[in-house]
């Protein structure tokens, strides 16, 4: 079956090995404005959050104690005082334990072997991501690795006893190979070289909360300590969803934390991390449970076979349904003050409120270049307003678009005027774009706010105005109402926050007033 639904995203669905991804992230951090390099060789021993200080935002309620484990500094203990802490410390998270956050769910663990191998085989689908369920010996998940030869096999081993750890099993790579051969018989696996292998266990569990607030009084408190990634959800490796769910946790939290620390947003915004991402984690665990039960029952060899329940078609259908979930593009956050405007969803049916901005192309009017609008949603902490014009000529002062631009530029209640610090570029907090249906517009006819002068030289930004590509029409593709147009407001994490009519000036102000400072 196709690996990804057509049109799910403008990017090709592919496999990126985690070591490479890790390198890319490190490189990105080092080349960022902060030139961030992780401090390695420190083990968190203890974390304390002083409940008497958590609601004083200037205070440092967190005390973290680390033990150095590099040779020169071995056993040296360091204490760090912090205003916030994010525990991304994996499935056995010390941060989670210190915050007394419980894991809910299935603790009946299963051991899995994993290996990256070079092999010779008569199994025909060796270059296709496959799931092989044997009659009696368990399952293998096969993922062809990049480069054309290397293959990753996830091999189902045994159930573990309560409190037994996979790392304590007396098994090695030879055992994993033997089990894989057993499962895949009558095909042959002749393993020539093992590049890497490991044995690990997984349970399907999700943390009862993703921050330090006690559930009963959560609404009244500002969270100061968070858990993200495997620290708050673990599941089986069948779907390849772990990292794909963990990274977006911190992508959701990162911009919120930055805006609160920089004094741009109200601290209550931090409460939305747990509510938004815990729902996704629960979906992940449910999907994993469904997948596990589908593959745990033997696929039907013959129609009507009494002992078996699952048809391989059911598995295919399930995977197809999960497509958008795995890619992250159909994750939808529940309605809240940062995901609102359902009553105007009909103005742009293809931009689902709460979901990621579904990119489509438009043509930049200053140079005629087609541009994916989704690529304008950079991960830089800024909000974005995409104003899609209606049928009126936007240069006509009676048009809705003209009035909106005037409002945004001049009104005291304009969120752009109100929340952009003095002496900062006009798009430094809220970045405005316009997309028109008309084909005959020129940049010099546009109001100043659509090609603002920026920076110390007052250079014009020519890259904010677009017209629809007649052969590849974004209004058509995303179901945008041609007669009315609309505003699509996009969060710094690329999720759609709100859809409003072009005339909804007051509602636009109210939306931002809810959380901005
Ligand atoms: C074999 C295997 C295959 C997988 N395949 C896939 C896949 O195909 N697709 C996918 O999406 N996901 C996959 N996953 C899941 C994925 O690896 C995890 O979901 C992801 O790594 C979680 O990231 P994380 O940052 O939350 O935690 P981790 O990657 O576990 O990182 C936690 C970090 O915290 C450090 N740490 C822990 N405790 C302390 C302490 N006390 N003090 C200091 N540091 C500490 C650890 O050393 C580690 O560096 C796989 C997992 C495994 C085990």
């Amino acid at each position: 079956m196709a690996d990804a639904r057509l049109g799910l995203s403008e990017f090709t669905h592919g496999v990126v090995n985690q070591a490479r991804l890790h390198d890319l992230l490190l490189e990105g951090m080092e080349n960022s404005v902060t030139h961030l390099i992780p401090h390695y060789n420190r083990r968190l021993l203890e974390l304390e959050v002083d409940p008497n200080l958590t609601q004083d935002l200037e205070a440092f309620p967190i005390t973290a104690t680390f033990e150095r484990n590099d040779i020169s500094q071995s056993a040296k203990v360091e204490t760090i005082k912090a205003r916030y802490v994010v525990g991304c410390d994996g499935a056995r998270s010390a941060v989670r334990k210190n915050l007394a956050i419980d894991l809910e769910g299935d603790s009946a663990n299963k051991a899995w072997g994993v290996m990256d191998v070079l092999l010779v085989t008569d199994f025909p689908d060796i270059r296709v991501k496959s799931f092989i369920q044997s009659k009696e010996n368990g399952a293998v998940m096969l993922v062809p690795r990049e480069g054309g030869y290397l293959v990753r096999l996830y091999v189902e081993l045994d159930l573990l006893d309560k409190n037994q750890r996979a790392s304590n099993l007396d098994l090695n790579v030879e055992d994993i190979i033997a089990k894989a051969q057993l499962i895949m018989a009558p095909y042959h696996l002749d393993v020539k070289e093992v590049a890497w292998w490991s044995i690990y266990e997984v349970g399907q569990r999700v943390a009862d909360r993703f921050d330090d607030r006690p559930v009963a009084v959560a609404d009244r408190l500002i969270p100061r300590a968070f858990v993200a990634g495997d620290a708050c959800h673990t599941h089986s490796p069948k779907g390849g969803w772990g990292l794909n769910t963990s990274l977006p946790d911190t992508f959701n939290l990162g911009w919120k934390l930055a805006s609160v620390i920089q004094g741009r947003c109200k601290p209550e915004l931090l409460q939305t991390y747990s509510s938004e991402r815990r729902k996704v984690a629960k979906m992940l665990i449910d999907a994993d449970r469904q997948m596990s039960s589908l593959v745990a029952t033997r696929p039907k060899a013959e129609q009507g076979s009494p002992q078996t329940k699952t048809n391989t078609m059911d598995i295919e259908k399930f995977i197809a349904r999960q497509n958008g979930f795995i890619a992250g593009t159909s994750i939808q956050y529940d309605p809240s003050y940062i995901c609102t405007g359902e009553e105007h969803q009909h103005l742009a049916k293809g931009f689902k409120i709460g979901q990621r901005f579904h990119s489509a192309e438009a043509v930049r009017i200053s140079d005629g270049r087609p541009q994916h609008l989704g690529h304008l949603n950079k991960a830089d902490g800024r909000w974005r307003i995409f104003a899609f014009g209606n049928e009126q000529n936007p240069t006509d002062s009676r048009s809705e678009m003209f009035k909106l631009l005037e409002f945004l530029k001049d009104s005291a209640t304009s969120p752009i005027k109100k929340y952009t610090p003095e002496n900062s570029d006009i798009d430094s907090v809220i970045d405005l774009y316009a997309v028109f249906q008309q084909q005959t517009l020129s940049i010099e006819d546009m109001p100043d706010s659509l090609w603002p002068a920026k920076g110390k030289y007052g250079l014009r930004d020519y890259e904010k105005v677009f017209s629809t590509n007649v052969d590849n029409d974004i209004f058509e593709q995303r179901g945008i109402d041609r007669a009315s147009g609309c505003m699509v407001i996009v969060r710094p994490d690329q999720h759609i926050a709100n859809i409003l009519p072009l005339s909804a000036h007051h509602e636009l102000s109210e939306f931002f007033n809810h959380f901005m400072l």
Side-chain angles (χ1 to χ4, degrees):
M1 63 179 295
D3 203 25
R5 196 166 67 229
L6 220 57
L8 195 66
S9 154
E10 72 280 18
F11 296 109
T12 314
H13 191 175
V15 174
V16 182
N17 124 34
Q18 288 189 211
R20 184 169 292 177
L21 187 57
H22 194 207
D23 271 354
L24 287 169
L25 293 173
L26 287 174
E27 210 178 284
M29 285 161 66
E30 203 175 344
N31 292 330
S32 74
V33 284
T34 55
H35 303 295
L36 200 60
I37 295 174
H39 294 279
Y40 288 111
N41 298 313
R42 281 161 177 85
R43 190 166 67 88
L44 180 70
L45 297 175
E46 211 185 344
L47 180 90
E48 269 181 78
V49 183
D50 184 342
N52 299 319
L53 294 179
T54 54
Q55 300 312 294
D56 172 2
L57 293 182
E58 297 310 313
F60 287 69
I62 290 138
T63 311
T65 316
F66 290 90
E67 180 187 46
R68 295 279 293 253
N69 51 18
D70 37 350
I71 292 164
S72 62
Q73 305 280 335
S74 182
K76 187 176 160 195
V77 170
E78 293 173 343
T79 301
I80 297 178
K81 289 283 208 179
R83 289 171 66 198
Y84 297 93
V85 63
V86 187
C88 313
D89 50 347
R92 297 182 208 178
S93 168
V95 174
R96 185 190 68 225
K97 284 176 202 146
N98 278 273
L99 294 175
I101 294 176
D102 289 328
L103 287 175
E104 293 170 349
D106 176 11
S107 58
N109 286 340
K110 172 139 249 193
W112 284 75
V114 54
M115 55 186 178
D116 283 339
V117 291
L118 294 172
L119 49 70
V120 176
T121 181
D122 52 357
F123 181 69
D125 286 335
I126 196 72
R127 299 307 301 167
V128 182
K129 196 161 84 183
S130 314
F131 202 95
I132 299 113
Q133 175 69 43
S134 74
K135 200 169 172 188
E136 258 133 31
N137 297 307
V140 160
M141 188 169 106
L142 185 159
V143 185
R145 289 282 309 268
E146 57 277 47
Y149 298 100
L150 203 62
V151 175
R152 171 166 294 187
L153 299 177
Y154 294 90
V155 184
E156 192 172 356
L157 300 174
D158 300 319
L159 273 178
L160 296 168
D161 295 336
K162 204 171 184 304
N163 301 326
Q164 192 181 13
R165 304 230 61 127
S167 47
N168 298 338
L169 288 176
D170 189 19
L171 295 175
N172 59 33
V173 70
E174 302 304 328
D175 300 302
I176 304 176
I177 294 171
K179 188 70 191 286
Q181 287 167 333
L182 197 65
I183 293 168
M184 292 189 60
Y187 295 105
H188 298 99
L189 301 180
D190 181 7
V191 175
K192 299 291 185 188
E193 196 174 316
V194 179
W196 171 82
W197 68 277
S198 179
I199 291 177
Y200 63 103
E201 81 253 349
V202 275
Q204 290 157 324
R205 278 176 273 185
V206 60
D208 62 349
R209 53 203 164 95
F210 283 16
D211 61 45
D212 61 323
R213 293 170 303 156
V215 176
V217 286
D219 291 349
R220 284 189 267 129
L221 298 179
I222 307 298
R224 304 297 290 262
F226 306 84
V227 277
D230 277 14
C232 47
H233 43 76
T234 57
H235 63 291
S236 84
K238 293 188 190 81
W241 297 324
L243 189 76
N244 279 320
T245 312
S246 295
L247 282 176
D249 281 349
T250 40
F251 199 48
N252 179 295
L253 178 60
W255 68 268
K256 294 173 182 171
L257 207 42
S259 354
V260 170
I261 290 171
Q262 292 175 349
R264 278 185 282 125
C265 285
K266 297 177 186 171
E268 287 78 7
L269 183 64
L270 297 172
Q271 296 169 337
T272 62
Y273 163 68
S274 189
S275 52
E276 292 190 332
R277 292 307 299 177
R278 195 162 175 274
K279 178 195 156 186
V280 177
K282 285 201 320 220
M283 283 166 66
L284 169 77
I285 305 301
D286 286 347
D288 188 44
R289 279 215 182 98
Q290 266 179 283
M291 176 90 169
S292 299
S293 71
L294 276 173
V295 299
T297 48
R298 286 208 309 274
K300 257 185 209 158
E302 298 149 31
Q303 286 298 324
S305 163
Q307 320 92 308
T308 57
K309 293 186 209 144
T310 310
N311 189 308
T312 49
M313 284 303 291
D314 294 338
I315 300 179
E316 288 193 9
K317 276 192 220 144
F318 174 78
I319 299 272
R321 274 205 309 281
Q322 295 300 325
N323 244 312
F325 180 70
I326 300 169
T329 50
S330 67
I331 301 287
Q332 184 161 3
Y333 296 141
D334 283 343
S336 70
Y337 61 87
I338 49 169
C339 276
T340 181
E342 277 299 323
E343 64 278 24
H344 302 300
Q345 178 70 78
H346 65 278
L347 295 176
K349 293 194 186 99
F351 287 124
K352 290 265 181 296
I353 297 163
Q355 290 193 6
R356 279 257 299 273
F357 184 91
H358 191 179
S359 189
E361 276 187 355
V363 177
R364 208 154 58 193
I365 71 166
S366 60
D367 60 358
R369 185 181 186 276
Q371 157 88 51
H372 254 289
L373 296 189
H375 300 191
L376 301 169
N377 293 319
K378 298 209 173 90
D380 56 9
R382 288 190 282 172
W383 286 79
R384 292 190 166 80
I385 301 175
F386 289 89
F388 290 92
N390 58 19
E391 284 159 344
Q392 300 163 327
N393 182 341
T395 59
D396 182 339
S397 61
R398 290 163 303 177
S399 70
E400 297 288 5
M401 183 64 95
F402 194 94
K403 289 185 209 158
L404 172 67
L405 295 172
E406 288 282 289
F407 162 75
L408 288 173
K409 185 163 73 74
D410 295 327
S411 168
T413 59
S414 152
I416 294 186
K417 253 186 97 77
K418 201 165 161 187
Y419 297 117
T420 307
E422 236 174 289
N423 302 323
S424 300
D425 284 340
I426 194 67
D427 59 359
S428 58
V429 177
I430 302 172
D431 189 14
L432 172 69
Y433 294 91
V435 189
F436 297 113
Q437 300 176 50
Q438 291 79 6
Q439 295 295 310
T440 51
L441 300 169
S442 348
I443 191 81
E444 64 272 21
D445 298 330
M446 293 294 127
D448 281 355
S449 52
L450 285 184
W451 55 318
K454 288 166 39 181
K456 63 176 179 178
Y457 297 125
L459 304 182
R460 291 274 201 176
D461 186 337
Y462 287 88
E463 304 195 342
K464 294 187 182 291
V465 194
F466 298 83
S467 63
T468 185
N469 185 341
V470 276
D471 303 322
N472 199 6
D473 182 4
I474 188 170
F475 282 74
E476 193 67 39
Q477 289 174 348
R478 297 293 169 261
I480 301 161
D481 189 315
R482 289 183 188 281
S484 318
C486 67
M487 289 183 262
V488 175
I489 301 157
V490 184
R491 303 174 5 164
D493 58 8
Q494 307 170 350
H495 283 252
I496 309 254
N498 199 350
I499 293 181
L500 290 170
L502 292 174
S503 58
H505 305 178
H506 175 69
E507 290 85 341
L508 181 67
S509 305
E510 286 299 295
F511 168 76
F512 280 104
N513 289 345
H514 209 115
F515 55 88
M516 296 288 277
L517 288 171

